[in-house]
Amino acid sequence: MAPVFAFVAGLTFGLGLIVAGMADPAKILAFLDIAGTWDPSLLFVMAGAIAVGLVAFAVARRRTSSVLGLPMQLPTARAIDTRLVGGSLLFGVGWGLAGFCPGPAIVALGAGYGKAGAFIVAMLMGMAAVDLIERKRVRSESETPDASGA
Amino acid sequence: MTLDSGAFTPWSATAGGIVIGVAAALLVLANGRVAGISGIVGGILSPRSGDVAWRIAFIAGLLAAPVVHSAVSVLPAITIDGTYPMMIVAGLVVGVGTRYGGGCTSGHGVCGLSRLSPRSLVATLSFIASGFATVYFLRHLAGS
């Protein structure tokens, strides 16, 4: 059952993006262009989504398992560090370059836009590169106990 | 700053936002998972057993959305002004950034802020700030 609900959630999410106009990079870039003719629509999208999200996550927080009996897996990371800020700043640069973030790019690919496909393939490569670097780093740190113990 | 009153669509934006919120609510209450799209996609790259099907199903739902929308009503315009090389650079940067930052607009911006997470607030302010800076540079410094 779980994948069925996940599919419906993804479909609903995508329809929300389309209705909100957020699948259109031109509209995202109009939001990010505060010095030009600014379109604040994205803030209203966030407000609408968070209004519902606040209730949903308040309920989710009090449960240890989901309605389907699956474990409730809410993020546990709390660190506000260089990695979080640096990564987020970098993400914002890419967002500003293309007008795409991951969700809208997948929706635009579903609508048949090749450029969205190119964005997604590159994004997957970027993610895989980080995973590779991080795995190597963790391995080399565990191989030199002296350094990690210092 | 000039408000673009022609393009500004507060009603459809809020309505679409509510639909996005409902989707995030469905995923967390039914599946116990956070609707962070970069994380959902990234989890497929280093798969753990029993943790892949829901991810693929969610992404299939996103891909199906424009098809379903077209069946009911005309799909709104999607205008991609950037070139292919620009898309590739942007995609790489988004992939690396979301992996280190632990999320994107959906995971930090929608779900994280809904959880009142200070970490997600810092992330969201960071990527909006650098998004502003990037577009400012491209449209008002480099392009002019």
Side-chain angles (χ1 to χ4, degrees), chain A residues 35-140:
Chain A
T37 46
W38 192 49
D39 175 2
S41 301
L42 187 137
L43 294 179
F44 286 72
V45 181
M46 299 272 291
I50 291 169
V52 180
L54 279 170
V55 180
F57 283 97
V59 174
R61 195 195 306 268
R62 274 188 249 112
R63 302 178 60 107
T64 51
S65 65
S66 75
V67 175
L68 295 179
L70 297 161
M72 189 59 76
Q73 297 187 52
L74 296 176
T76 51
R78 304 187 65 87
I80 296 173
D81 51 15
T82 321
R83 176 178 285 248
L84 175 79
V85 175
S88 298
L89 287 173
L90 204 56
F91 161 50
V93 170
W95 193 32
L97 286 176
F100 270 139
C101 50
I106 296 172
V107 172
L109 175 64
Y113 290 86
K115 282 179 182 171
F119 176 92
I120 290 166
V121 170
M123 178 180 84
L124 290 170
M125 287 168 66
M127 288 177 167
V130 172
D131 286 355
L132 203 69
I133 291 165
E134 288 303 297
R135 261 201 298 274
K136 249 188 197 147
R137 198 176 59 86
V138 169
R139 206 177 302 138
S140 71

Side-chain angles (χ1 to χ4, degrees), chain B residues 12-26:
Chain B
S12 59
T14 308
I18 290 170
V19 175
I20 291 169
V22 168
L26 177 63

Side-chain angles (χ1 to χ4, degrees), chain A residues 1-27 29-61 63 65-81 83-104 106-111 113-116 118-120 122-131 133-135, chain B residues 1-5 7-39 41-43 45-46 48 51 53-69 74-84 86-120 122-136 138-140:
Chain A
M1 265 326 258
V4 176
F5 279 87
F7 177 82
V8 175
L11 177 63
T12 309
F13 201 108
L15 290 172
L17 285 172
I18 293 168
V19 170
M22 296 293 109
D24 181 10
K27 199 160 174 68
L29 293 176
F31 166 72
L32 292 175
D33 190 8
I34 35 168
T37 46
W38 192 49
D39 175 2
S41 301
L42 187 137
L43 294 179
F44 286 72
V45 181
M46 299 272 291
I50 291 169
V52 180
L54 279 170
V55 180
F57 283 97
V59 174
R61 195 195 306 268
R63 302 178 60 107
S65 65
S66 75
V67 175
L68 295 179
L70 297 161
M72 189 59 76
Q73 297 187 52
L74 296 176
T76 51
R78 304 187 65 87
I80 296 173
D81 51 15
R83 176 178 285 248
L84 175 79
V85 175
S88 298
L89 287 173
L90 204 56
F91 161 50
V93 170
W95 193 32
L97 286 176
F100 270 139
C101 50
I106 296 172
V107 172
L109 175 64
Y113 290 86
K115 282 179 182 171
F119 176 92
I120 290 166
M123 178 180 84
L124 290 170
M125 287 168 66
M127 288 177 167
V130 172
D131 286 355
I133 291 165
E134 288 303 297
R135 261 201 298 274
Chain B
M1 185 173 90
T2 327
L3 261 188
D4 190 345
S5 51
F8 179 37
T9 50
W11 295 111
S12 59
T14 308
I18 290 170
V19 175
I20 291 169
V22 168
L26 177 63
L27 193 68
V28 77
L29 295 175
N31 295 64
R33 304 303 302 233
V34 169
I37 294 168
S38 60
V41 172
L45 294 173
S46 32
R48 288 179 297 143
D51 190 48
W54 76 274
R55 295 173 189 273
I56 299 210
F58 185 89
I59 293 164
L62 281 176
L63 287 168
V67 181
V68 171
H69 191 286
V74 179
L75 196 67
I78 293 178
T79 311
I80 310 172
D81 286 329
T83 59
Y84 269 94
M86 182 71 107
M87 291 300 133
I88 290 165
V89 172
L92 277 171
V93 172
V94 166
V96 172
T98 53
R99 214 68 178 130
Y100 278 118
C104 59
T105 359
S106 51
H108 281 311
V110 172
C111 296
L113 294 187
S114 295
R115 292 188 302 110
L116 306 173
S117 154
R119 180 177 147 85
S120 287
V122 170
T124 304
L125 293 175
S126 301
F127 63 67
I128 289 182
S130 64
F132 280 158
T134 303
V135 172
Y136 185 79
L138 284 180
R139 290 199 175 171
H140 303 285

